[in-house]
Amino acid sequence: MKLLAYVTDLFFESKLSQICQASGANLKVVSSLYKFLPELENPPDAVLLDLNAAGISPTSLLAQLRSRYNELPVVCWSDAQQEELMQQAREAGANHVWERSEVEDHLPKILADLEA
């Protein structure tokens, strides 16, 4: 399974890498929009998006993803206490939205479901 992640937090990137490796997923991490958009030319099996990543407007990016790749699973997370941002991501088309602290609990199951 091929995953594309937009993450600018190196610590969290490491955590994602560990989760994906344990799930057998191939994770490509980018930290700029200029690298993210070209990677979509050959769409991944899912996109992982840090709503707090530097350099993006997450709801605009989600709208772009939905307009071009409506069926592409999108998993998002945000810092705790940002319920409004997380709700905006849901409304913009994210399939799964969690607080950052919940990703470790939920992502392995999502990856297993995508693999099935």
Side-chain angles (χ1 to χ4, degrees):
M1 172 185 332
K2 180 179 150 189
L3 304 173
L4 175 62
Y6 191 113
V7 180
T8 55
D9 178 326
L10 292 177
F11 175 75
F12 202 73
E13 177 184 335
S14 175
K15 184 177 286 202
L16 279 179
S17 293
Q18 291 172 359
I19 294 168
C20 292
Q21 185 177 33
S23 298
N26 179 16
L27 177 66
K28 168 90 180 204
V29 177
V30 295
S31 58
S32 79
L33 205 51
Y34 298 108
K35 292 179 181 177
F36 182 78
L37 295 175
E39 288 292 330
L40 293 172
E41 295 302 317
N42 183 14
D45 296 306
V47 168
L48 309 178
L49 179 62
D50 183 348
L51 297 173
N52 300 111
I56 61 166
S57 167
T59 53
S60 295
L61 184 55
L62 282 165
Q64 284 181 323
L65 286 171
R66 284 296 160 237
S67 70
R68 290 181 62 195
Y69 308 100
N70 191 43
E71 299 300 315
L72 181 65
V74 180
V75 176
C76 300
W77 61 88
S78 179
D79 292 332
Q81 319 267 309
Q82 292 193 316
E83 188 56 44
E84 184 176 333
L85 177 61
M86 290 188 287
Q87 183 58 36
Q88 290 171 352
R90 288 181 193 98
E91 291 169 3
N95 299 88
H96 304 278
V97 182
W98 307 302
E99 287 185 14
R100 183 179 303 269
S101 63
E102 297 175 311
V103 172
E104 234 176 320
D105 296 331
H106 297 291
L107 187 57
K109 175 159 179 15
I110 297 303
L111 295 178
D113 290 347
L114 288 173
E115 194 77 86

